[in-house]
Amino acid sequence: MINQNSITLLVGIILLLVIVIVFLMFYIKKLKMQRDELQQSEQILKTIINGLPDLIGYKDSEGKWIVANEAFFKIFNTDETMLGKTNLELMFFLPEFKKELEGCEETDKKTWENKNTSMFEESFHQLDGTFRTFDVVKVPIFYDYGNRKGVAVLGREITERKKTEELKKQTEDKERQLLELKHYNEIRTEFFANLSHELRTPLNLIMSSVQLIQKLNENEINCLNKFNKYINIIRQNSYRLVKIVNNLIDITKIEAGYLEPNFYNVNIVEIVENITLSINSYAEQKEISLIFDTNVEEKVMSCDPYIIERIMLNLLSNAVKFTQNGGTIEVFLEDNNDFIEIIVKDNGIGIPIEKQSLIFERFVQVDKSLSRNREGSGIGLSLVKAFVEIHGGKIEIDNNYTEGSKFIVCIPVRVLAEVENENNNYICQNKDNRVQIINVEFSDIYS
Ligand code: ADP
């Protein structure tokens, strides 16, 4: 028997069920609406992201591509099938982009290491053979508890900007080359003007001396003094011509790359000391004190002794040329085990600091005027620099030294193997030869 209470309970339950159903229906409808809205905004976002020319992507903590916009698909010449794969997996599907994907992988790694927004420049080759370059920003995202969540990738194309920059650089390079060429041509023109002066002066002196000798009558011929004077002028000016020609030949040989040095194991201290002391007569003429010092008595190493002598004679003749009467020239050879330093120091007129970097260039002279009171062609130091470089060394001016000029030649110490050294027979210059060489190198200095 169903009593009144049971009926009331049943009606109550039914009512409650109806209310729950209605509530659920509303809730489901609301959820559906929210889902539709979400889908709609996702669609809008997708349209916007895909419409953008910039690269937009997102990879999860394992490096799987979760989001990639059309611009990304275009770059890799692919479609949505790239999603869900890591860079390494994509290399298998897109082997033609292996290099680019390796680059992406590398920059991903760096971003995780940086733990911060990182910027890179990435280039992607295209199937038509061109390259597209992007400024890529990678933003690592972490969970609150610090674990990796994913990395957002944003890229802006800079291909055109790069091209313009490249073009600008090329134009600037061309302009610089043109300026350098102009500058070089100016120096060369100056050099040839100077060279004609250099060649003409000794030739004139030789010719007039010969004429004077011819004019000497019987009596005067007996007057040996005059005869010797003219002969000396002829000799010295012939040396000057030989020096100019020698230097020109050497610099041309070096430029053409066929100056062949002859390396021997020799005691470089002896070579430098002997050649320094052998110019003492030139120093004495100007009452210049010539000092040689060293921290070792013997240093056997591989070098071309003849070239070392040329280096020293060039530096010493400049030192004598540019030092006033009564001055001092010091040569110091320092053994530093791996390298030796030869320092040539004078207390002469010095070289202005702004000219110091230029004087090793060919044809450069500090005083270029033809009326200058010291002769020279401006090849000497460029030749010295080339000679030092043949030995793997370098030459510089100490710009802290202000009482004159201080040249520092630094040569690495190498020793030839016994067999190599035996093959090279170093023939020591005989005395007459050396005197001849010194006279040639010092021919700018009038005795
Ligand atoms: P040059 O044959 O004219 O001497 P170098 O190449 O040997 O040519 O030297 C270039 C220039 O460097 C010289 O003209 C001179 O102005 C400067 N110079 C070289 N050595 C010295 C020095 N010891 N003191 C002062 N000036 C120097």
Side-chain angles (χ1 to χ4, degrees), residues 314 318-319 321-322 346 349-351 359 364-367 375-382 405 407 444:
N314 253 296
N318 275 343
K321 197 162 34 163
F322 296 103
D346 63 55
I349 62 169
I351 302 164
I359 56 160
V364 170
Q365 291 180 309
V366 175
D367 179 3
E375 306 297 337
S377 55
I379 313 180
L381 285 179
S382 65
S405 305
F407 288 85
D444 294 343

Short mmCIF file of all heavy atoms in Angstrom, two decimals, residues 314 318-319 321-322 346 349-351 359 364-367 375-382 405 407 444, ligand 1:
data_model
loop_
_atom_site.label_atom_id
_atom_site.label_comp_id
_atom_site.label_asym_id
_atom_site.label_seq_id
_atom_site.Cartn_x
_atom_site.Cartn_y
_atom_site.Cartn_z
N ASN A 314 120.88 48.61 -41.89
CA ASN A 314 119.82 49.58 -42.17
C ASN A 314 119.47 50.38 -40.93
O ASN A 314 119.38 51.61 -40.97
CB ASN A 314 118.57 48.83 -42.65
CG ASN A 314 118.34 49.02 -44.12
OD1 ASN A 314 118.11 50.12 -44.56
ND2 ASN A 314 118.44 47.93 -44.88
N ASN A 318 120.47 54.40 -40.30
CA ASN A 318 119.45 55.40 -39.95
C ASN A 318 119.80 56.08 -38.63
O ASN A 318 119.68 57.29 -38.51
CB ASN A 318 118.07 54.73 -39.80
CG ASN A 318 117.36 54.61 -41.13
OD1 ASN A 318 117.73 55.27 -42.10
ND2 ASN A 318 116.34 53.77 -41.20
N ALA A 319 120.26 55.26 -37.66
CA ALA A 319 120.60 55.82 -36.35
C ALA A 319 121.71 56.86 -36.50
O ALA A 319 121.64 57.95 -35.93
CB ALA A 319 121.00 54.71 -35.39
N LYS A 321 122.49 58.43 -39.27
CA LYS A 321 121.98 59.53 -40.12
C LYS A 321 121.16 60.53 -39.30
O LYS A 321 121.25 61.73 -39.50
CB LYS A 321 121.13 58.91 -41.23
CG LYS A 321 120.88 59.82 -42.37
CD LYS A 321 120.41 59.17 -43.66
CE LYS A 321 119.53 57.98 -43.64
NZ LYS A 321 118.88 57.73 -44.93
N PHE A 322 120.33 60.00 -38.38
CA PHE A 322 119.38 60.88 -37.68
C PHE A 322 119.82 61.24 -36.26
O PHE A 322 119.01 61.66 -35.44
CB PHE A 322 117.99 60.26 -37.68
CG PHE A 322 117.41 60.11 -39.07
CD1 PHE A 322 117.40 58.88 -39.71
CD2 PHE A 322 116.91 61.22 -39.74
CE1 PHE A 322 116.91 58.75 -40.99
CE2 PHE A 322 116.41 61.10 -41.03
CZ PHE A 322 116.41 59.86 -41.66
N ASP A 346 118.83 55.19 -30.30
CA ASP A 346 119.70 56.37 -30.45
C ASP A 346 119.09 57.54 -29.72
O ASP A 346 117.93 57.49 -29.30
CB ASP A 346 119.92 56.69 -31.94
CG ASP A 346 118.65 57.08 -32.65
OD1 ASP A 346 117.97 58.02 -32.20
OD2 ASP A 346 118.31 56.44 -33.67
N ILE A 349 117.06 62.66 -33.53
CA ILE A 349 115.89 63.56 -33.68
C ILE A 349 114.57 62.86 -33.38
O ILE A 349 113.55 63.51 -33.18
CB ILE A 349 115.83 64.18 -35.10
CG1 ILE A 349 115.67 63.10 -36.19
CG2 ILE A 349 117.04 65.05 -35.38
CD1 ILE A 349 115.34 63.68 -37.56
N GLY A 350 114.56 61.51 -33.35
CA GLY A 350 113.34 60.76 -33.02
C GLY A 350 112.33 60.80 -34.16
O GLY A 350 112.54 61.48 -35.18
N ILE A 351 111.23 60.05 -33.97
CA ILE A 351 110.19 59.99 -35.01
C ILE A 351 108.87 60.42 -34.37
O ILE A 351 108.47 59.84 -33.36
CB ILE A 351 110.07 58.56 -35.58
CG1 ILE A 351 111.42 58.12 -36.15
CG2 ILE A 351 108.99 58.46 -36.65
CD1 ILE A 351 111.55 56.65 -36.39
N ILE A 359 106.17 54.47 -40.92
CA ILE A 359 107.51 54.42 -41.52
C ILE A 359 107.92 53.04 -42.03
O ILE A 359 108.88 52.94 -42.77
CB ILE A 359 108.59 55.00 -40.59
CG1 ILE A 359 108.56 54.27 -39.27
CG2 ILE A 359 108.45 56.48 -40.39
CD1 ILE A 359 109.85 54.44 -38.55
N VAL A 364 107.82 55.60 -47.47
CA VAL A 364 107.44 56.65 -46.51
C VAL A 364 108.67 57.26 -45.86
O VAL A 364 109.57 56.56 -45.40
CB VAL A 364 106.49 56.10 -45.42
CG1 VAL A 364 106.31 57.13 -44.30
CG2 VAL A 364 105.14 55.78 -46.04
N GLN A 365 108.71 58.59 -45.86
CA GLN A 365 109.77 59.31 -45.15
C GLN A 365 109.10 60.38 -44.31
O GLN A 365 108.09 60.94 -44.71
CB GLN A 365 110.70 59.99 -46.16
CG GLN A 365 111.52 58.99 -46.96
CD GLN A 365 112.41 59.67 -47.94
OE1 GLN A 365 111.95 60.50 -48.69
NE2 GLN A 365 113.68 59.32 -47.91
N VAL A 366 109.68 60.65 -43.15
CA VAL A 366 109.06 61.65 -42.28
C VAL A 366 109.23 63.03 -42.91
O VAL A 366 108.29 63.80 -43.02
CB VAL A 366 109.69 61.59 -40.87
CG1 VAL A 366 109.14 62.71 -40.00
CG2 VAL A 366 109.40 60.23 -40.24
N ASP A 367 110.44 63.33 -43.37
CA ASP A 367 110.67 64.60 -44.04
C ASP A 367 110.76 64.31 -45.53
O ASP A 367 111.74 63.75 -46.02
CB ASP A 367 112.00 65.20 -43.52
CG ASP A 367 112.31 66.53 -44.21
OD1 ASP A 367 111.48 66.98 -45.02
OD2 ASP A 367 113.38 67.08 -43.93
N GLU A 375 119.71 62.22 -47.01
CA GLU A 375 119.32 61.46 -48.20
C GLU A 375 118.62 60.17 -47.79
O GLU A 375 118.70 59.73 -46.66
CB GLU A 375 120.56 61.13 -49.03
CG GLU A 375 121.41 62.31 -49.39
CD GLU A 375 120.69 63.31 -50.27
OE1 GLU A 375 119.72 62.93 -50.95
OE2 GLU A 375 121.07 64.49 -50.26
N GLY A 376 117.94 59.56 -48.73
CA GLY A 376 117.28 58.28 -48.47
C GLY A 376 116.12 58.12 -49.42
O GLY A 376 115.62 59.09 -49.99
N SER A 377 115.71 56.85 -49.60
CA SER A 377 114.64 56.60 -50.57
C SER A 377 113.34 56.18 -49.91
O SER A 377 112.31 56.10 -50.55
CB SER A 377 115.09 55.51 -51.54
OG SER A 377 115.47 54.38 -50.78
N GLY A 378 113.38 55.90 -48.60
CA GLY A 378 112.15 55.50 -47.91
C GLY A 378 111.82 54.03 -48.12
O GLY A 378 110.71 53.59 -47.87
N ILE A 379 112.81 53.25 -48.60
CA ILE A 379 112.55 51.81 -48.78
C ILE A 379 113.14 51.03 -47.60
O ILE A 379 112.67 49.96 -47.26
CB ILE A 379 113.19 51.25 -50.07
CG1 ILE A 379 112.91 52.15 -51.25
CG2 ILE A 379 112.65 49.86 -50.38
CD1 ILE A 379 113.52 51.64 -52.55
N GLY A 380 114.19 51.61 -47.00
CA GLY A 380 114.97 50.88 -45.99
C GLY A 380 114.16 50.14 -44.95
O GLY A 380 114.29 48.92 -44.81
N LEU A 381 113.28 50.85 -44.23
CA LEU A 381 112.57 50.20 -43.12
C LEU A 381 111.54 49.19 -43.59
O LEU A 381 111.28 48.20 -42.90
CB LEU A 381 111.92 51.26 -42.22
CG LEU A 381 112.89 52.02 -41.31
CD1 LEU A 381 112.15 53.04 -40.48
CD2 LEU A 381 113.63 51.06 -40.39
N SER A 382 110.95 49.43 -44.78
CA SER A 382 109.98 48.43 -45.27
C SER A 382 110.73 47.14 -45.60
O SER A 382 110.23 46.03 -45.40
CB SER A 382 109.20 48.95 -46.47
OG SER A 382 110.06 49.15 -47.55
N SER A 405 115.12 57.52 -31.07
CA SER A 405 114.34 56.41 -31.62
C SER A 405 114.81 55.10 -31.00
O SER A 405 116.00 54.93 -30.72
CB SER A 405 114.52 56.31 -33.13
OG SER A 405 114.20 57.53 -33.70
N PHE A 407 114.21 51.04 -31.83
CA PHE A 407 113.63 49.97 -32.64
C PHE A 407 113.85 48.64 -31.92
O PHE A 407 114.95 48.39 -31.41
CB PHE A 407 114.29 49.91 -34.01
CG PHE A 407 113.90 51.05 -34.91
CD1 PHE A 407 114.56 52.27 -34.85
CD2 PHE A 407 112.85 50.93 -35.81
CE1 PHE A 407 114.20 53.33 -35.66
CE2 PHE A 407 112.48 51.98 -36.63
CZ PHE A 407 113.15 53.18 -36.55
N ASP A 444 124.54 57.02 -47.76
CA ASP A 444 123.74 58.25 -47.58
C ASP A 444 124.45 59.22 -46.65
O ASP A 444 124.10 60.39 -46.58
CB ASP A 444 122.39 57.93 -46.94
CG ASP A 444 121.52 57.10 -47.86
OD1 ASP A 444 121.82 57.05 -49.06
OD2 ASP A 444 120.55 56.51 -47.35
P1 ADP B 1 115.31 56.29 -45.76
O1 ADP B 1 116.04 55.57 -46.84
O2 ADP B 1 114.63 57.54 -46.22
O3 ADP B 1 116.12 56.47 -44.50
P2 ADP B 1 113.84 54.35 -44.25
O4 ADP B 1 112.72 53.47 -44.67
O5 ADP B 1 115.09 53.70 -43.78
O6 ADP B 1 114.09 55.33 -45.44
O7 ADP B 1 113.31 55.29 -43.11
C1 ADP B 1 112.08 55.96 -43.29
C2 ADP B 1 112.02 57.23 -42.48
O8 ADP B 1 111.94 56.91 -41.08
C3 ADP B 1 113.26 58.09 -42.61
O9 ADP B 1 113.16 58.93 -43.76
C4 ADP B 1 113.20 58.88 -41.32
O10 ADP B 1 112.30 59.96 -41.47
C5 ADP B 1 112.59 57.89 -40.32
N1 ADP B 1 113.64 57.22 -39.49
C6 ADP B 1 114.12 55.98 -39.61
N2 ADP B 1 115.02 55.68 -38.66
C7 ADP B 1 115.11 56.78 -37.87
C8 ADP B 1 115.87 57.13 -36.70
N3 ADP B 1 116.72 56.27 -36.12
N4 ADP B 1 115.66 58.36 -36.17
C9 ADP B 1 114.81 59.23 -36.72
N5 ADP B 1 114.07 58.98 -37.83
C10 ADP B 1 114.21 57.77 -38.41
#
